[in-house]
Structures are given as structure tokens and as C-alpha cells.
Amino acid sequence: MEEFRRAILQPGPPESFALQTVQEFIKPQRQTKLAQDENQLLENMLRTLLQELVSSAVQSGEEIMQYGQSIDDGENFQGQIPRLLDVVLYLCEREHVEGGMIFQLLEDLTEMSTMRNCKDTFGYIESKQDILGKQELFARGKLVMLRTCNQLLRRLSKANDVVFCGRILMFLAHFFPLSERSAVNIKGVFNTSNETKYEKDPPAGISVDFNFYKTLWSLQEHFCNPASLTLAPTKWQKFTSSLMVVLNTFEAQPLSEEEGDANNLEEEAATFNIKYLTSSKLMGLELKDPSFRRHVLVQCLILFDYLKAPGKNDKDLTSESMKEEIKTCEEHVKKLLETTPPKGKDFLQKIEHILEREKNWVWWKRDGCPPFEKQPIENKTVQDGNKKRRPRWRLGNKELSQLWKWADQNPNALTDPQRVRTPAITEYWKPLAEDMDPSAGIEAEYHHKNNRVYCWKGLRFSARQDLDGFSRFTDHGIEGVVPLELLPPDVRSRYQAKPSDRTKRAKKEEAKGASNQAEENQIATPASEIDGEGVRADESSAAPMDTDAMATAVSTSQGGTPTPEEHQKQSPDTDVGQEAGQLEADGEVEAGMIDGETDAEVDLEAVS
């Protein structure tokens, strides 16, 4: 113990001496991590030391967190107890000692302190909440910390220590995860013990309407337990009648802007109390208070929001007449909130926003409070020696290999004529033909033409077995491919029409292009057939050739027999002329055939 007394008086950060102090206390242990019995021994010693320091602080009349010699740690001045807690927190964070030790010391410190000193102690806890919330520490001490905070809340006054209670609740919300079930009212139990007491009998000499006083404060009985309104219709009727009396009174006595400005709500926040006084003598003053009116009206909206939410079972559901009454009363309440100064419209918008977000929490609870946090995906590194080899399949994957294995075991499966069978074209298009029949009454969204796989397979079958039908796809789409004998007469006539003029025009242009090509071939002369004495100009070489050809033609026409030299001269030009003439004639014949061909022939050529 003396080692730690000297340690907390040393200047400098705890990491410079904390581990050495633990090793001096537990001898001959020299390891950086203590065993279980050594941890227990160290924890008992630290709890005893903390108790002695608190006792000394109480006897000296000093604050617990400021007791002892001030230690200069940079710019911070600490007492002995915060210094001791820092040392233990460092040891727990570095895992030199058991992680729950710091939480046990904090619980002991709050139990030994007065409420005034507990505020300073809790301030220290708030300053270290990021370290205390680390996973290695949180897992060891979350239950101890929860017990410590609940004990503080039980000791505090809900009316006088509202701010301190709020600090504790905010710390728990930050310290525990959002989906922690220990802080969630899973069953939705209401705090029926929060009873509002008010006067039952009218006092003597009072000028306020006592019936209205009782009606106003009786609403708190229903606000305390909203679930009772859906179970007993008589209670709901009593509540609505009382509420309408209160709302009509608020509406009959509106507040002016001057009265709203006179009651500055921001200044009242410093002296805020959790409950209003229920004395009948204060009724007149409370009716003139805009904050009081807002509290009552917001309670109504919260109750309506609860009743409109779907229940877990049938008995929690509201009736249709009850829903209409809720809607009427809710509109009335919102209208009064909007007209209540100061800034009534802004206040109503904020309340509606809060209630809208509250629905998300209601559904989250009714879904069983699923966790919001998602653990990060860890990239597991496998050592080279432990890598698992992927199985190698004979045909690339498991399914194909299994099929091949079945074929080996059953050879007849490969020779079965029914194994692979291409259906007839009429058999395949029969379902689509039935869809096209108007008398069948099949809706368009259920037609087979909407099935892309069916249409694609059908086009492949038609391209192999029915070119005539396949050629109709360009003009009529997939329905034109269906064989005409499968269609009713009225439907068949639509698909027997002649092809468009655009197809004919394209064929004619193609024929003219072939004719022009033939003429160009007739004029052109290959370079290898020209007798050369070298390369000459085009104009000079063309004249002798024309002269020779003309002479040859004249001699032939006169009936003479051409000599071999003349025949040799004549053959190149004559062959060219015959070839060009043949091409020109073929082009004319082809053009004539296209002009007179039938529609089926044109479509067939387009497909081919």
C-alpha cells in the first residue's frame, strides 16, 4: 500500500511509474500481466487505500476529489484520489491488471460520497468515458457501471436534481450501445406509480370554477396509463368529454402576445420543475401561463400518437369511431398550440417532427430491438501451408462433371432419340397463335410474345424450318413469324399483306447498282492486255486500240477470214466487249426479274 501512496504523489504521467509500482507491490512477480489471485490481492489493497483517502478527506473537511497534495501534471492540478484513479485506469487500459478493477473503485467511491461529492466524481467519469467505453474495458465493467448509475439515480431527487439525472442518462446513452436491451422498455409498461394528487373537495372562499379544476387535473390519470382507454369504452368517453371541456376553456380564454412575452420560457428553464403544483388557488395563474398550456396540449398529442400506432394484438386496436374522434381532437389541439404565444407555429412544427421520429423507435422496439451496429468485415489471411486447394473437376465445374458421370453409368442416355428433339414449327408456335386469337380473351401481359427466351428460340426454329415465315418478322414482328395455318381467318388476313414499298425500292436500287458496275467494267481495260512499248498517256494509247478494233470489225464484216495476227489483235478487245455485253444483259434481266417477282420471292431473297 505504501508503494501506491508514494506513486500517487509522483509528478509526471502514470505510464512512467505505474507498472513499476505494481511490480514492487507484488514480489517476486516480474511479469507484465498478473494472475487471478494477484489481481484479487491488488484490488483489495486499492479499495482499502481508496477508503482511507476518502475518510481522510471527510475528516479534513475538504472535497473528496480535491483532497491531498496538489500534483503538477503539466497544466493540471489533481488530488490524490483522481491521481489514484488515473494510475489504475492506465493499468487496466494496458491490460496489466484486470479490466473491471477501475469500475469497482468508481462504484465504491460513489457509495462513500455525499450527493455533492458525487457530482464531482461523476464529472471525472464523464471526462474518461471514451477510455471507459473501449471494448476491452467495456466488456468487463458494463454491469458494474450500470449498477453504479442506477444507484445514483435512486438517490437523486427527480424534482430537485433534474439536471444531474439528465447527465447520468446521457452518459448511459453514450456508454452503452444503442441497441442495449437493458435500457429499453420492451413490454411498454407505463409508470402508473407517478400519481398526480389534487384536491377532491372545494375549499372555502375560492373564486375559481372547482369543477373545471377537477376536470383539468383528472386528465393526468389517463395520461399516466393510455392503454386503459382502449380496454374500457366508458373511460374513453369520460376522457373525451373532459378533454373537450379543457380545450374549449383554453379557446375561450386566448393568450395575447404580451402575456406570452411576459413569461420568458428561457429564464424559467433555470428553475424548471418536473411537475406543476396542483393547488386550486393557483388555477387562475396557471391558465395564464403559456408553458402550462403547452404541457397539457403536448401530453394530448403524445397520447393520440400512442393510440394511433398499431397494437401488437387485436385488443390493442382502436375502433373506427374512436379513430374519428382522435382525428377531431388532434386537429383541435394543434390549432390551440399554433395560437399559443410565443412562436406557436414554430413550436408546433418541432413537436410534430419529434413525434414523427418517435415512430421509428416504436417500430424498432416492436421488431425486437435488432442491433444497429454492424461489425467490420475482417480479411482473414491464410498461411501458405494451410491453404485449401480447390477441387478440380473433370469438365470445369461440379454440375457438368456429374452429368458426364451419369452418362458413363447409363450409356443409353446418349442414344435415346427423345434426349434431344427439335419440335415442329407448328407445334412450337401454337401457344402464341392461341394468344393472338381475340376469342380466347387472353390479356396482353400474359402473351407468350413477352417471353424473350420463347421468342428467341422460335426465331431460330423458323430460320431453319420456315424461311417464308421468318421473312415476315421485319414487317410484322414476332407475331408475323407464326405459321398462317395456325391463325384464325380474320387474324391471318393481316399478315398476308404485301411487303412495304420500301423493300421493293431497296431491291431496285440494288439492281441498278449492279448494272452500273457492269458498265464500268465494260469501259475499264486491264493494264496487262495493252500492247506496250512503254507507259504512254491514256489518250494516246486509246486511239490505236480503237483503230485496230475498227479495222478488224470492217474486215470481218466484208466476209474475209482474219489472219492469225489479226485474230490475235482482235481477241483482247473482243473478249472485253463480250464480257461487258454479257454483264449488261445479265443486269437487265435481273432488273426485269425483280420488277416482276412475287412478294414471297422478295422476302425469301431478303432473308437469304
Side-chain angles (χ1 to χ4, degrees), residues 319-329:
S319 60
E320 295 297 329
S321 60
M322 190 174 177
K323 290 180 180 179
E324 293 295 332
E325 294 179 1
I326 290 174
K327 183 178 180 180
T328 304
C329 294

Side-chain angles (χ1 to χ4, degrees), residues 84-105:
L84 176 63
L85 295 176
D86 286 346
V87 172
V88 179
L89 182 60
Y90 169 78
L91 294 173
C92 294
E93 184 183 5
R94 300 295 179 177
E95 297 184 356
H96 297 313
V97 298
E98 202 273 328
M101 192 176 299
I102 181 64
F103 296 95
Q104 190 62 53
L105 293 180

Side-chain angles (χ1 to χ4, degrees), residues 461-514:
F461 291 154
S462 297
R464 294 178 180 178
Q465 303 180 22
D466 185 17
L467 286 177
D468 185 17
F470 182 77
S471 63
R472 293 194 296 270
F473 177 75
T474 305
D475 296 326
H476 304 291
I478 192 65
E479 293 181 341
V481 186
V482 180
L484 298 178
E485 60 268 18
L486 297 177
L487 300 176
D490 53 342
V491 180
R492 186 185 310 166
S493 60
R494 277 185 280 170
Y495 303 101
Q496 288 179 340
K498 294 182 179 181
S500 61
D501 295 337
R502 183 178 179 182
T503 305
K504 292 184 177 181
R505 193 180 301 113
K507 290 295 182 179
K508 290 181 179 180
E509 291 177 357
E510 183 180 354
K512 290 181 180 179

Side-chain angles (χ1 to χ4, degrees), residues 340-501:
T340 302
K343 302 178 181 179
K345 292 183 179 180
D346 295 341
F347 182 80
L348 177 60
Q349 291 178 357
K350 293 177 182 178
I351 293 299
E352 289 178 341
H353 178 69
I354 292 173
L355 293 177
E356 187 66 27
R357 288 179 59 87
E358 187 67 20
K359 294 179 182 178
N360 299 329
W361 295 106
V362 172
W363 284 110
W364 174 69
K365 287 176 60 177
R366 293 187 177 179
D367 290 341
C369 305
F372 288 94
E373 300 82 1
K374 293 184 178 180
Q375 298 296 332
I377 300 176
E378 297 180 358
N379 295 326
K380 298 182 178 180
T381 58
V382 183
Q383 297 180 359
D384 296 338
N386 298 331
K387 285 185 178 180
K388 294 183 178 180
R389 297 182 60 183
R390 294 182 179 179
R392 299 182 62 181
W393 304 103
R394 183 179 180 183
L395 296 181
N397 57 51
K398 182 179 179 181
E399 287 74 17
L400 290 176
S401 299
Q402 188 67 28
L403 287 174
W404 185 264
K405 184 178 179 180
W406 287 343
D408 290 343
Q409 296 174 356
N410 185 13
N412 297 329
L414 298 178
T415 59
D416 187 4
Q418 298 295 328
R419 185 175 66 90
V420 178
R421 186 178 67 88
T422 302
I425 197 69
T426 55
E427 179 184 352
Y428 186 83
W429 288 117
K430 189 175 182 180
L432 182 57
E434 294 176 355
D435 296 341
M436 295 170 62
D437 188 0
S439 61
I442 301 176
E443 298 180 4
E445 59 179 334
Y446 301 111
H447 281 197
H448 284 74
K449 66 179 180 180
N450 299 326
N451 189 341
R452 296 184 178 182
V453 177
Y454 175 80
C455 296
W456 179 76
K457 289 182 177 181
L459 288 175
R460 287 177 60 89
F461 291 154
S462 297
R464 294 178 180 178
Q465 303 180 22
D466 185 17
L467 286 177
D468 185 17
F470 182 77
S471 63
R472 293 194 296 270
F473 177 75
T474 305
D475 296 326
H476 304 291
I478 192 65
E479 293 181 341
V481 186
V482 180
L484 298 178
E485 60 268 18
L486 297 177
L487 300 176
D490 53 342
V491 180
R492 186 185 310 166
S493 60
R494 277 185 280 170
Y495 303 101
Q496 288 179 340
K498 294 182 179 181
S500 61
D501 295 337

